[in-house]
Amino acid sequence: PTIEVPMHRFQAPRIRDVRKAMTFTRPHRASRDELMYNVEIRRGAFLSVTYLSALPQHWQREQAVQLARIIAVQHTHPRCVPTGISAAYLHGARAFDYPGDVHMASLSNSTRSAKVLPAVTLGEEVLASRATIVFHRMLPIANHTCRIDGVRSLTLHDALLTLAVQECGALAFSMACSGMRLLIENTRSRSIGFKKRLRTLRQSLSAQFKQLESGHRHRADGSWLFAHADAACESPGESHILWILRSSGLAGIETQYEVTSNGNRFFVDLCFPEARVAIEFDGRFKYGDSELEIDEATAKQVQRQTQLEADGWQFIRFRWEDLPDYSKILNSVFMLLLQVGVCPTTMRRARVHA
């Protein structure tokens, strides 16, 4: 079949396109052509080299391979469905530094031992490291399924409940932020309607999660996750920074905060309003596609920051390459808060989740 690929360099791979680019054979029966013109996703499952090569960006090829892994595992285990971060990933949720493992839940509630997925390369380009297929029992409070472009999965709502049990830390937080945003994507993130729907969604997720037995070891962490994950984060970078700050115990952080200056309305990614400290993440999609769009957007950002700094705001900016360094981000924010006369230790919460 004709293989469709994203024409826009910022467009994410689509499940239906990845499925069209995949072929399946019986294990150990792959032909020479299949091995030559495809990359092996797992035993008996292949993804077209032509399709991968046509994707313009490295991150697009990485995402295509991750989707192919989930599709291949579900194809091999039809009595299992993607769960947790894998189900959320199928629905479009994303996180910084997403791992390659595939999580599956058994519809028959039987257990299986973990299996290994091979590393995936395209020439010398590494698209996925060696990973594991992890099997889980179906969670009683999250067993509703749906089909996404023909691939069976947990619903996004139930995927968020299961990831709170299966994962922790930055990965769970970022996937929860992204998944919650997708669930209320029909409303603008800065509108009153969005905030009301976010509050309702948080209450719904928290109420269902509390149905777990009182002694469940993830119950407290899941409750904290749904109380602090924020769908207003517009990228995995923003949610990752927010997790670093909130998991450290800092309070008073607002997302997509509205600031008015000289009759103009601006929104900052993250901020401490009382300290007038703004934190901006310069991500992949922020400044446009063409050089002209990037130049124009950058000029507007500089003008906006200059105007707000004249009103007493202090700015700190982070990029993708800053995200792996937890200490650097936290120390940078602490130092700026100290410069404006705010002691970060006085803003800490009693309980810290990291």
Side-chain angles (χ1 to χ4, degrees):
T2 301
I3 299 174
E4 299 179 21
V5 297
M7 300 301 293
H8 193 291
R9 67 190 181 101
F10 287 158
Q11 181 179 348
R14 298 178 297 188
I15 294 174
R16 61 177 176 270
D17 294 337
V18 174
R19 288 186 67 203
K20 288 180 181 179
M22 295 183 70
T23 55
F24 296 90
T25 65
R26 296 181 63 182
H28 309 300
R29 296 289 181 88
S31 67
R32 181 179 299 178
D33 284 348
E34 285 170 330
L35 295 174
M36 182 180 299
Y37 299 112
N38 297 276
V39 295
E40 186 179 31
I41 298 300
R42 68 165 307 189
R43 192 172 64 173
F46 301 88
L47 183 60
S48 166
V49 168
T50 302
Y51 171 73
L52 283 173
S53 300
L55 296 171
Q57 299 287 326
H58 174 74
W59 67 268
Q60 291 171 320
R61 295 188 286 275
E62 284 185 322
Q63 289 192 9
V65 167
Q66 185 59 37
L67 289 172
R69 278 181 163 178
I70 299 171
I71 294 168
V73 173
Q74 207 279 326
H75 181 270
T76 309
H77 300 280
R79 293 295 299 165
C80 295
V81 294
T83 183
I85 59 172
S86 296
Y89 198 90
L90 280 179
H91 283 279
R94 296 293 183 264
F96 170 71
D97 201 20
Y98 185 88
D101 294 341
V102 175
H103 293 259
M104 304 294 290
S106 172
L107 293 172
S108 59
N109 228 18
S110 60
T111 57
R112 299 169 183 260
S113 57
K115 297 183 178 181
V116 175
L117 290 166
V120 179
T121 60
L122 183 64
E124 297 183 357
E125 181 184 15
V126 178
L127 298 178
S129 301
R130 196 166 179 259
T132 304
I133 306 171
V134 185
F135 293 95
H136 305 267
R137 292 185 183 275
M138 187 72 77
L139 198 64
I141 63 171
N143 54 15
H144 300 93
T145 64
C146 64
R147 288 193 177 273
I148 312 167
D149 286 342
V151 181
R152 194 174 187 185
S153 172
L154 287 183
T155 63
L156 179 53
H157 188 279
D158 284 8
L160 295 181
L161 292 171
T162 55
L163 75 82
V165 171
Q166 298 164 12
E167 299 292 337
C168 62
L171 176 60
F173 189 90
S174 291
M175 291 296 284
C177 289
S178 182
M180 291 165 71
R181 184 176 181 84
L182 288 169
L183 283 172
I184 49 180
E185 64 181 351
N186 293 330
T187 312
R188 287 180 57 82
S189 62
R190 296 155 184 166
S191 68
I192 297 176
F194 178 92
K195 292 181 179 179
K196 287 183 177 179
R197 293 184 66 181
L198 175 58
R199 191 181 309 115
T200 301
L201 177 59
R202 280 177 168 163
Q203 292 171 349
S204 172
L205 290 168
S206 297
Q208 284 187 263
F209 202 77
K210 287 178 181 177
Q211 294 177 21
L212 292 173
E213 57 271 23
S214 58
H216 198 286
R217 63 192 182 99
H218 292 293
R219 193 178 183 195
D221 290 338
S223 297
W224 183 92
L225 174 69
F226 295 131
H228 293 85
D230 198 324
C233 292
E234 295 182 339
S235 74
E238 288 180 31
S239 59
H240 187 79
I241 295 170
L242 181 63
W243 172 78
I244 290 175
L245 300 177
R246 285 188 171 166
S247 66
S248 74
L250 285 176
I253 310 163
E254 298 288 344
T255 57
Q256 294 301 320
Y257 187 77
E258 182 179 348
V259 182
T260 303
S261 176
N262 294 332
N264 297 315
R265 296 168 65 236
F266 302 109
F267 292 88
V268 293
D269 295 340
L270 308 169
C271 78
F272 295 89
E274 294 182 7
R276 298 178 80 81
V277 167
I279 303 167
E280 290 279 273
F281 175 69
D282 297 328
R284 179 184 297 130
F285 305 104
K286 194 164 193 171
Y287 298 119
D289 187 14
S290 67
E291 290 187 9
L292 178 60
E293 289 176 339
I294 293 173
D295 290 342
E296 290 178 348
T298 302
K300 289 180 180 178
Q301 286 288 324
V302 171
Q303 181 182 9
R304 183 190 73 153
Q305 180 169 331
T306 301
Q307 186 172 336
L308 291 178
E309 285 176 337
D311 290 342
W313 282 84
Q314 298 290 322
F315 277 77
I316 184 169
R317 311 189 81 91
F318 296 108
R319 302 178 64 86
W320 286 104
E321 54 265 29
D322 299 319
L323 298 186
D325 196 336
Y326 176 104
S327 297
K328 176 184 176 181
I329 291 175
L330 198 56
N331 289 337
S332 298
V333 174
F334 274 25
M335 290 300 296
L336 185 55
L337 289 172
L338 288 172
Q339 287 177 20
V340 298
V342 176
C343 181
T345 56
T346 64
M347 304 172 69
R348 287 182 176 272
R349 295 182 185 274
R351 186 170 188 172
V352 177
H353 291 256

